[in-house]
Amino acid sequence: MQLIRGLHNLPKHAPCALTIGNFDGVHRGHQALLQRLVISARDLGLPSCLLSFEPLPQEFFAQHKAPPRLTRLREKWNALCPCHIDEFLCMHFDKQLAELSATDFIHFILLEKLNTRYLLVGDDFRFGKDRLGDYNMLKQAGKELGFTVEDSPSICQGDTRISSTAIRAALSNNQLALAQSMLGRPYQICGRVAHGDKRGRTIGFPTINIKLRRHATPLSGVYAVSLQGIAPTPLKGVANIGKRPTVDGINLQLEVHLFNFDQSVYGREVCVEFHHKLRDEQHFESFDALKQQIQLDSEQARHFFAAQPKTS
């Protein structure tokens, strides 16, 4: 999969099969749509292309009031790689794009820039200034301008439509198994290991510190986790995600204490999978009280992992 950042980096584009959306989380509904896109593209002899945006449109309009995203760009890239898309075009969402009418979006973006011959969108897709464009407009434009438009129905789990919103709600309500089933994988947060204040080391619980680089997350508290990226197999541990009230923290941070591990891994890119919530984040009056609680958290996490069925 080729990543293209912005229309200015897009060479004269060959005809393509395209889909458009936020694809936040790249959940099972997204995966079904992308599988259909890839099959249709191959049948038509066209490259498959995904168009998405940074920041997400909701983040542009609502800024810090926007719902927490499930995946940052790198995490989205990681989740998209197994989907066999040929091109991932990431456009900067700014005032100019927000003011583009639905009609101009069709003519300028879809046709002039991307040379779209086949377009597959979700059944709730809206686009253009004030979100006035929809599937019916695209379908009519396709008939008039010579490209095929199809919609992809939602995927449901029971009575619940699989969506980024539903996954955020499941994570916030401590329904990690439900979120995992909608995502098709455990929920994870990835980032680069950074230097912290090293207070954990002083109480016997060294931590791996990961800057979240986002204004909010759908998770908060202490979790049993596994970490990928520094060993051949995932390493188990406990993680705190939040603002660390005991040390008067201000910024969101993810801190992971791994069992039986104390190596320097600064600068490594890692992914933390969340398996079970142990408790909410809380303030402790002393570091001794915090140390005792971390010991309890670690014991609970070990019991949780020991109770899980073994995988071959």
Side-chain angles (χ1 to χ4, degrees):
M1 182 170 65
Q2 180 185 11
L3 174 62
I4 303 171
R5 297 293 297 268
L7 289 179
H8 60 283
N9 288 319
L10 185 69
K12 183 173 176 58
H13 206 269
C16 73
L18 177 71
T19 190
I20 310 170
N22 292 330
F23 291 91
D24 187 25
V26 194
H27 53 63
R28 285 174 47 218
H30 295 143
Q31 293 163 28
L33 183 151
L34 294 173
Q35 182 181 41
R36 180 174 164 189
L37 177 71
V38 168
I39 292 171
S40 297
R42 288 175 179 169
D43 290 343
L44 295 167
L46 298 172
S48 55
C49 180
L50 182 152
L51 172 60
S52 194
F53 308 96
E54 285 288 335
L56 302 183
Q58 284 179 306
E59 294 170 341
F60 174 81
F61 289 111
Q63 298 185 4
H64 292 314
K65 294 182 181 179
R69 64 162 64 191
L70 297 173
T71 47
R72 294 178 64 240
L73 181 60
R74 179 185 288 271
E75 294 160 335
K76 187 183 297 186
W77 167 268
N78 291 341
L80 285 172
C81 281
C83 296
H84 306 293
I85 299 294
D86 294 312
E87 294 178 346
F88 176 16
L89 171 60
C90 183
M91 282 185 63
H92 179 59
F93 196 93
D94 55 14
K95 187 176 187 298
Q96 182 178 1
L97 185 57
E99 292 292 323
L100 196 66
S101 71
T103 299
D104 287 342
F105 186 92
I106 292 171
H107 285 273
F108 178 66
I109 303 295
L110 298 187
L111 297 180
E112 181 179 336
K113 288 297 184 179
L114 292 176
N115 203 357
T116 304
R117 290 293 176 267
Y118 172 85
L119 177 63
L120 178 65
V121 293
D123 52 11
D124 59 348
F125 179 66
R126 304 298 290 254
F127 67 101
K129 184 178 179 180
D130 299 324
R131 303 181 76 242
L132 295 179
D134 59 10
Y135 173 75
N136 291 328
M137 177 185 282
L138 287 170
K139 192 75 173 177
Q140 183 61 37
K143 291 178 181 178
E144 296 172 358
L145 300 171
F147 61 97
T148 300
V149 181
E150 295 182 346
D151 69 332
S152 178
S154 298
I155 304 297
C156 293
Q157 179 163 302
D159 296 329
T160 302
R161 174 180 175 270
I162 296 177
S163 68
S164 303
T165 300
I167 294 168
R168 285 189 204 98
L171 292 171
S172 297
N173 294 325
N174 193 27
Q175 298 173 301
L176 271 67
L178 175 61
Q180 176 174 338
S181 64
M182 290 191 284
L183 284 164
R185 62 188 184 280
Y187 180 66
Q188 64 176 215
I189 291 178
C190 302
R192 193 173 299 277
V193 179
H195 287 275
D197 51 29
K198 299 179 174 60
R199 287 192 177 97
R201 193 173 300 277
T202 65
I203 58 174
F205 290 96
T207 59
I208 290 173
N209 302 284
I210 301 162
K211 302 297 183 183
L212 292 175
R213 304 190 187 281
R214 60 189 87 195
H215 77 275
T217 70
L219 296 178
S220 177
V222 180
Y223 295 82
V225 302
S226 57
L227 183 143
Q228 302 177 26
I230 57 177
T233 57
L235 303 177
K236 295 179 174 59
V238 294
N240 182 86
I241 184 166
K243 294 186 177 181
R244 304 174 300 152
T246 301
V247 296
D248 299 321
I250 298 174
N251 299 317
L252 279 173
Q253 189 160 314
L254 173 58
E255 294 182 319
V256 182
H257 169 66
L258 296 174
F259 304 142
N260 306 315
F261 184 88
D262 188 12
Q263 299 178 22
S264 176
V265 290
Y266 296 119
R268 298 284 288 274
E269 193 72 30
V270 298
C271 290
V272 181
E273 289 189 350
F274 296 82
H275 300 286
H276 175 67
K277 186 169 183 177
L278 301 171
R279 61 177 174 86
D280 290 332
E281 190 178 36
Q282 63 190 93
H283 178 271
F284 294 93
E285 295 300 327
S286 68
F287 281 108
D288 282 342
L290 174 61
K291 178 179 179 179
Q292 292 176 14
Q293 184 61 58
I294 296 175
Q295 289 174 331
L296 291 174
D297 295 337
S298 298
E299 290 174 9
Q300 290 182 42
R302 289 178 189 273
H303 288 314
F304 168 78
F305 285 120
Q308 301 308 298
K310 302 297 182 182
T311 57
S312 56

